[in-house]
Amino acid sequence: MRELNGDHVPETEEYGISSTVFRAGLPFHPGRLWAFVTEGLDSGAYGRILRSKGFFTLASRPRVTGLWSQAGSVARFEPSAARDTDSPECQELVFIGTHLRADALHAALTDCLMADGESLPPGDPFPAWDTYGIDGTCEHELVTSA
């Protein structure tokens, strides 16, 4: 009724909810991204991030596009699709929250990207993905005929 009378304040204004989209064409460094997710995402440094989701690539998993899904303090990162290593890496993530500091968030995510010419890190702290046959040789392909 308040909406019809012109007295309604949208929740986005009343609670300060906004969103921002991060896009980049380089893969993420797995160690730096993991540190961001486990230490920075829920720290309050970028506002209160309520939800984030989208697609991402890790330099350590070049043949898989990952699915990013976070709500509150629960985050999931899982394989979404196989990708051709000749196609450009793509980060496309949306962050929804209150009092978002989009510039600071984008800068932190940019710092998580691999730099041109940077060597692939030796480790990957993200949990293993069940990507049978996508990102490596299958066991049956190792069998050779005598």
Side-chain angles (χ1 to χ4, degrees), residues 27-30 33 56-62 64 91 124 126 129:
F28 281 121
H29 181 288
L33 184 61
F56 72 107
T57 56
L58 295 170
S60 53
R61 304 175 191 199
V64 181
Q91 316 302 345
D124 179 340
F126 280 81
W129 290 344

Side-chain angles (χ1 to χ4, degrees), residues 45 50 53 72 128 140 142:
L50 303 171
K53 56 187 174 177
H140 72 274
L142 297 175

